[in-house]
Amino acid sequence: MRLPRLVAFALAAALCGHAPVGAQERMLPVPLAVIYPGDVIRDSMLGERAFGFGAGADGSVAETKGALIGKVARRTLLPDRPIPTIAVDAPKVVTINASVKIVFDEGGMVIIAYGSALQAGSVGDVIRVRNQDSGLVVNGRVQPDGSIRVSEG
């Protein structure tokens, strides 16, 4: 049985310890053990492994540990496998039905009210909140302290 020339060359190069021409190795973060949905990812849970042929070059997998640390797994992450960017999410600061402070701050005028979150959200997300006094539903941006900032328009 004869192998095509390119396959034979690649096989010979691999046997000699050389990567085929055009192959690129990238070090990508991988779980050291199974990470379950809802787990917050810590540095000690991650290692690195080399992947070839441009793995992750399209941005579909996390390329650094820093992009993963502090995030929450959305699905089960398996050991020694690259981590898809859609498999992790920022931790939720506000949960559904949580009591939240609603802040309107415009031109030096500050109005504070309290309400109930109708959606969960991470810092920077826009969520819907029901004002507990008026029953009015407003949209606002989640702040790092868990309050919701609304603005005119």
Side-chain angles (χ1 to χ4, degrees):
M1 179 172 130
R2 291 191 122 201
L3 294 175
R5 223 177 165 148
L6 182 58
V7 174
F9 174 77
L11 183 59
L15 292 174
C16 293
H18 300 289
V21 175
Q24 297 177 354
E25 279 200 349
R26 296 177 66 110
M27 295 299 288
L28 296 175
V30 295
L32 295 174
V34 175
I35 299 174
Y36 294 97
D39 287 353
V40 176
I41 300 172
R42 297 181 312 273
D43 185 44
S44 62
M45 301 167 100
L46 301 173
E48 287 189 329
R49 184 173 155 222
F51 290 90
F53 300 103
D58 59 357
S60 62
V61 296
E63 296 187 34
T64 64
K65 286 183 178 183
L68 296 167
I69 296 171
K71 300 272 178 110
V72 176
R74 295 178 64 192
R75 64 181 180 114
T76 303
L77 305 175
L78 300 175
D80 294 325
R81 300 251 176 111
I83 301 171
T85 54
I86 62 170
V88 296
D89 200 4
K92 301 296 184 198
V93 174
V94 174
T95 58
I96 296 176
N97 294 327
S99 181
V100 294
K101 180 165 59 169
I102 304 168
V103 179
F104 176 83
D105 185 357
E106 192 79 29
M109 180 176 72
V110 179
I111 300 172
I112 296 177
Y114 293 90
S116 179
L118 300 177
Q119 296 173 286
S122 302
V123 174
D125 289 350
V126 174
I127 64 169
R128 295 178 313 133
V129 180
R130 182 181 319 273
N131 182 310
Q132 71 183 16
D133 294 327
S134 68
L136 183 67
V137 175
V138 296
N139 291 324
R141 190 167 304 277
V142 178
Q143 302 300 300
D145 66 357
S147 66
I148 309 300
R149 182 184 211 62
V150 296
S151 61
E152 194 173 46

